Structures are given as C-alpha cells and as structure tokens.
Amino acid sequence: MFGSKGGFRGGIYEVAEMMSTILGDEIQYPNPSVKEFTSYMVKKGGKVDFVNVVIGIHFSNQVRGGGRSHT
C-alpha cells in the first residue's frame, strides 16, 4: 500500500477503509455523478464556476490514473 519512498499508493476506497479502521467509524466514498456533485455543491452555496473547476481537476486526475489503485 505504500511505495518504496514512503508515499501512499492506494486508491480512494483503500483510504476510506484505512480511515474506518483507525477511527473506529465507517468512512464511505460515495463517488457521485457530475450532475449529483454539481447539484449538491450549488445547494451548499458553491458558485457554479468554482464547482466546474473542481470537476475539471477531478477528471484530469482520473485521466492520469489518480483514481486507480496501484497495489
């Protein structure tokens, strides 16, 4: 789960599982659709332009493989 230089190499689900174990409370990663995420963030007071930037960063990370587990 950790790389040779000490960096974490797990995916988001592994992080949630690890945090659940450490904290003693279930942590979940819901992975909403873009539409669900946008709706939720705007309802919470987020500006649409900012939400779109967050979505762009998320998707560019997914394309690079940031959402995959490297175990």
Side-chain angles (χ1 to χ4, degrees), residues 1-65:
M1 194 173 285
F2 290 90
S4 61
K5 296 183 180 186
F8 182 76
R9 294 185 50 171
I12 55 177
Y13 299 105
E14 288 86 357
V15 171
E17 184 178 336
M18 183 184 296
M19 289 176 63
S20 295
T21 300
I22 292 168
L23 299 173
D25 197 12
E26 184 178 16
I27 306 296
Q28 295 181 355
Y29 178 75
N31 198 13
S33 69
V34 171
K35 185 176 181 179
E36 291 169 330
F37 178 76
T38 302
S39 175
Y40 174 80
M41 292 299 289
V42 170
K43 284 179 185 175
K44 297 289 275 183
K47 295 184 179 185
V48 174
D49 290 341
F50 174 76
V51 174
N52 288 336
V53 169
V54 172
I55 291 168
I57 292 169
H58 172 75
F59 276 107
S60 66
N61 186 45
Q62 293 296 317
V63 169
R64 289 191 343 237

